[in-house]
């Protein structure tokens, strides 16, 4: 035991917290992500403007998928921000490796007939056709019902997951990731149909 008298703990003043650097408040980032997603989805649909649809389509190209990830990747799958993150991630993946995507889609379309039809990919589904389909889906954010956008993207991901499962190259984890993406988008699409996503 020490003979030192007990000192009351120091309580930091407001300047203490302001002086700490090294990050942004996660709650503020989350709030900004949700507001931006809501403005993009709800505002674009109300505008019904082809120029806005083009800007939405190329958002990841102009701002970078990394910038989008920084804002939306931590959002729940059943939020507008989480859905937009998944949609842009899907588009970036299709553009990054359209030949492999076409191979996986082709392998899955025989076994996932209903999903193939909902996805709306031209026949035969080559790399250019898949790019056109994913662009058409994202354009739908501004021009159609958001639930349709989500359900089409989910159907596309389900066909790809089915194709991956039949091929020898993709790992079980890759199949599972695509299936989870399909399930998340589908669940969000049904939630949007029922009561709208927050």
């Amino acid at each position: 035991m020490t003979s030192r008298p007990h000192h009351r703990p120091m309580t930091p003043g407001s300047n203490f917290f302001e002086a700490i650097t090294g990050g942004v408040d996660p709650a503020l980032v989350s709030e900004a992500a949700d507001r931006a997603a809501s403005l993009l989805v709800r505002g674009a649909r109300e505008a019904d403007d082809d120029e806005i649809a083009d800007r939405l389509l190329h958002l990841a190209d102009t701002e970078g998928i990394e910038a989008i990830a920084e804002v939306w990747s931590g959002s729940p799958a059943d939020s507008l921000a989480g859905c937009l993150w998944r949609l842009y991630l899907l588009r970036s993946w299709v553009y990054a490796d359209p030949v492999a995507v076409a191979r996986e889609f082709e392998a899955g379309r025989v076994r996932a007939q209903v999903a193939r039809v909902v996805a709306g990919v031209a026949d035969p589904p080559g790399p250019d056709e898949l790019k056109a389909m994913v662009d058409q889906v994202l354009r739908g954010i501004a021009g159609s019902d958001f639930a349709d956008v989500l359900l089409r993207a989910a159907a596309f991901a389900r066909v790809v997951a089915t194709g991956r499962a039949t091929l020898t190259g993709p790992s079980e984890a890759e199949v599972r990731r695509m299936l989870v993406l399909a399930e998340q988008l589908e669940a969000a699409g049904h939630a949007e149909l029922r009561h709208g996503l927050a």
Side-chain angles (χ1 to χ4, degrees), residues 99-115:
V99 173
V101 176
R103 184 174 56 91
E104 291 173 352
F105 189 89
E106 175 64 31
R109 73 188 186 121
V110 174
R111 290 181 174 81
Q113 288 289 329
V114 173

Side-chain angles (χ1 to χ4, degrees), residues 107-130:
R109 73 188 186 121
V110 174
R111 290 181 174 81
Q113 288 289 329
V114 173
R116 179 187 63 83
V117 171
V118 173
V121 178
D123 202 6
D128 291 335
E129 289 78 15
L130 289 173

Side-chain angles (χ1 to χ4, degrees), residues 54-124:
D54 273 346
R55 286 174 53 200
L56 274 172
L57 174 63
H58 296 289
L59 184 65
D61 302 335
T62 58
E63 301 305 317
I65 194 69
E66 297 82 10
I68 292 174
E70 192 174 324
V71 177
W72 288 333
S73 65
S75 299
D78 61 351
S79 68
L80 283 175
C83 289
L84 286 176
W85 164 240
R86 284 154 181 80
L87 291 171
Y88 281 109
L89 190 63
L90 196 60
R91 181 181 187 267
S92 294
W93 170 66
V94 169
Y95 268 78
D97 198 358
V99 173
V101 176
R103 184 174 56 91
E104 291 173 352
F105 189 89
E106 175 64 31
R109 73 188 186 121
V110 174
R111 290 181 174 81
Q113 288 289 329
V114 173
R116 179 187 63 83
V117 171
V118 173
V121 178
D123 202 6

